[in-house]
Amino acid sequence: MRKLLESTAQRAIAYLEGIGDRSVAPSAEAVANLARLDEPFNDAPTSADQVIKMLDENCSPATTAMAGPRFFGFVIGGSLPVTVAANWLAGAWDQNSGLFTPTPATASLEQVALNWLLDLFNLPSDCGGGFVTGATMANFTALAAARRALLKRASWNVEADGLFGAPPITVVVGEEAHPTLFKSLGLLGLGRNRVVRVPVDSQGRMRADALPTLSGLTMLCVQAGNVNTGAFDPFPEICARAHEAGAWVHVDGAFGLWAAATASTSHLVAGLCDADSWATDCHKWLNVPYDSGIALVRDGEALRAAMAITADYLPTSEFRNPSDFTPELSRRARGVEVWAALRSLGRQGVSELVERNCRQARRFAEGLQTAGFKVLNDVVLNQVLVTFGDAETTNRVISEIQREGTCWCGGTVWQEQTAMRISVSSWATTDADVERSLEAMIRIAGR
Ligand SMILES: Cc1ncc(COP(=O)(O)O)c(C=O)c1O
């Protein structure tokens, strides 16, 4: 076992050490070679060494260098080395971290990490929190608590009796809400289409003047950080009106919630602490390994009531049972990496990370504008939307940038304009990486 684990660690280290020097996208040849693994299921066992060798030799070259410094394709981070290491250790522990009693170490770390996150985001220290797979499930989990609390007001127990015959809930969302929010609403039986959509402005922000009159059982879903522009809904106006009407305000802050971590962007989240629930990701700006999302709910009892189960064979505890706050029972110990990232960076390190990535995004925008290209968004956070001309030209430039391999950016259509998205959220991105990527983008677009 020692030899296997040591040699695997060496392979992983070599992968990470080489990641800055390789093409960000895998070569077509490397992707084609994956077919080597598509073989009939073997009858005889294969040695562990051989299995790891097959993985490394066939799959490492076919990965996209998302852990590297010049992947700007989605709002995702790399993994801080301390979190990769913590992930290895937690993997060795193999704790099924749903219950405190059998897994006190990982359950305790999760509690500490939760306390620190609430502190970092300036949210009430007694919020309930669930460590889930990502923001999709964090939205789902928080909105399950919202559904529970709203229907309880109407004396309806949704967990026990379901939604058939339940009093209706009005769901209000911005026109530019993330598609996964609609998926979460669908999973909750609230419907992907059965929503009131509030018009947005040129940055994708909900227009407070277009908010409908709110009444009855209502969930208002606002957004902290639009996936294309990075824009924030105007929380102070919207939340005040929603609360006057007794609505539940939920914040999809998959990456935008992290704006609270540093002084230069904290104004963007002003008023957000008045909401009732929040969803965010740690596998985005905190730069921990996948998968790692967090659901936070002011009324922790509503979250527990929506998620907790009991069974005679499951031990109860006076301490926090992680699975009382999540859809899953058996689960990996996500809190370990979150704890490790926060403990390693400290408040200053998180602030510096967010600050640096935002500065780097502004530098991308400035460099592209100086080169004559049009930036479509106000760069308030870490997102840049740039167009290189008409849709065909922009798509061609995006494909060539991906093929050339210095960096990786994806495309989008923003309010009918085809654009390239640049998301800067990795701990590994240096200012030199930004300059190198800018040079490649401008050179390719100028051809
Ligand atoms: C605003 C927003 N919400 C939700 C999500 C979905 O997050 P995840 O992929 O972690 O489920 C994203 C992903 O980028 C996002 O930007």
Side-chain angles (χ1 to χ4, degrees):
M1 180 184 71
R2 172 177 290 276
K3 198 169 145 277
L4 172 72
L5 296 184
E6 281 178 354
S7 70
T8 306
Q10 290 311 322
R11 287 180 185 276
I13 293 164
Y15 175 84
L16 289 176
E17 282 180 345
I19 207 159
D21 302 325
R22 51 160 282 193
S23 163
V24 177
S27 67
E29 189 195 355
V31 175
N33 286 343
L34 291 171
R36 291 178 190 152
L37 298 180
D38 186 9
E39 51 189 357
F41 182 29
N42 44 301
D43 285 331
T46 310
S47 74
D49 270 339
Q50 177 63 13
V51 168
I52 296 301
K53 184 169 183 282
M54 286 169 74
L55 273 182
D56 192 25
E57 291 182 356
N58 293 299
C59 295
S60 293
T63 58
T64 297
M66 291 181 173
R70 294 186 302 282
F71 181 85
F72 307 112
F74 311 114
V75 203
I76 56 180
S79 291
L80 288 157
V82 71
T83 67
V84 177
N87 174 280
W88 287 355
L89 196 54
W93 292 342
D94 194 25
Q95 300 288 284
N96 182 340
S97 301
L99 303 164
F100 183 92
T101 306
T103 59
T106 53
S108 300
L109 281 177
E110 189 174 299
Q111 176 71 70
V112 175
L114 176 60
N115 295 344
W116 289 353
L117 287 171
L118 291 170
D119 181 4
L120 188 76
F121 297 139
N122 291 315
L123 299 181
S125 59
D126 57 350
C127 283
F131 287 63
V132 294
T133 50
T136 307
M137 282 313 286
N139 282 324
F140 170 87
T141 304
L143 290 173
R147 186 182 65 166
R148 155 86 192 178
L150 288 171
L151 288 175
K152 190 171 169 222
R153 274 190 225 159
S155 306
W156 187 272
N157 182 339
V158 66
E159 283 71 38
D161 300 322
L163 275 179
F164 296 107
I169 296 175
T170 305
V171 180
V172 182
V173 302
E175 198 63 74
E176 281 290 348
H178 195 271
T180 57
L181 184 77
F182 296 100
K183 181 173 174 174
S184 307
L185 290 167
L187 291 171
L188 286 163
L190 296 169
R192 293 187 186 194
N193 296 339
R194 203 193 135 278
V195 294
V196 178
R197 290 171 180 260
V198 182
V200 295
D201 66 12
S202 65
Q203 300 300 310
R205 290 175 295 225
M206 218 186 260
R207 276 177 35 210
D209 65 323
L211 194 69
T213 306
L214 304 173
S215 65
L217 303 178
T218 302
M219 282 178 197
L220 171 68
C221 302
V222 295
Q223 183 168 249
N226 176 282
V227 75
N228 285 310
T229 63
F232 290 67
D233 285 336
F235 310 118
E237 295 104 294
I238 293 181
C239 293
R241 281 179 54 194
H243 279 147
E244 272 165 31
W248 178 291
V249 179
H250 170 71
V251 182
D252 178 358
F255 63 97
L257 213 55
W258 297 89
T262 191
S264 62
T265 50
S266 59
H267 63 282
L268 294 168
V269 295
L272 191 142
C273 55
D274 294 331
D276 300 287
S277 59
W278 305 263
T280 194
D281 266 324
C282 293
H283 61 223
K284 290 187 166 62
W285 231 335
L286 190 59
N287 282 256
V288 305
Y290 302 98
D291 42 30
S292 189
I294 311 280
L296 301 167
V297 180
R298 180 184 298 277
D299 177 356
E301 272 316 302
L303 177 58
R304 186 202 295 269
M307 296 292 150
I309 50 154
T310 55
D312 289 336
Y313 83 100
L314 296 175
T316 51
S317 168
E318 61 184 295
F319 300 108
R320 176 180 177 277
N321 258 344
S323 65
D324 284 352
F325 301 92
T326 56
E328 309 90 353
L329 174 59
S330 295
R331 49 204 290 285
R332 72 181 196 91
R334 297 188 181 92
V336 177
E337 300 135 8
V338 177
W339 176 87
L342 292 171
R343 188 70 176 85
S344 156
L345 293 170
R347 206 183 293 276
Q348 283 174 11
V350 183
S351 164
E352 194 276 329
L353 174 60
V354 173
E355 183 93 38
R356 170 160 46 95
N357 286 160
C358 292
R359 175 172 53 71
Q360 291 169 331
R362 291 195 297 275
R363 170 63 192 132
F364 268 121
E366 178 202 39
L368 289 162
Q369 275 167 328
T370 306
F373 302 110
K374 189 170 171 198
V375 170
L376 300 180
N377 66 318
D378 298 340
V379 182
V380 294
L381 200 68
N382 61 339
Q383 299 298 118
V384 183
L385 278 182
V386 60
T387 169
F388 298 105
D390 59 16
E392 199 189 326
T393 309
T394 302
N395 283 330
R396 178 184 54 77
V397 172
I398 294 168
S399 300
E400 285 180 24
I401 287 173
Q402 292 178 359
R403 204 171 23 246
E404 193 259 359
T406 301
C407 61
W408 202 100
C409 299
T412 191
V413 178
W414 177 249
Q415 301 187 343
E416 296 179 9
Q417 265 200 282
T418 299
M420 184 174 86
R421 301 177 62 260
I422 306 173
S423 303
V424 194
S425 39
S426 175
W427 72 275
T429 305
T430 63
D431 291 351
D433 288 308
V434 173
E435 297 307 322
R436 192 168 150 190
S437 304
L438 256 179
E439 185 279 323
M441 290 172 189
I442 293 168
R443 171 169 41 80
I444 291 166
R447 274 181 202 156

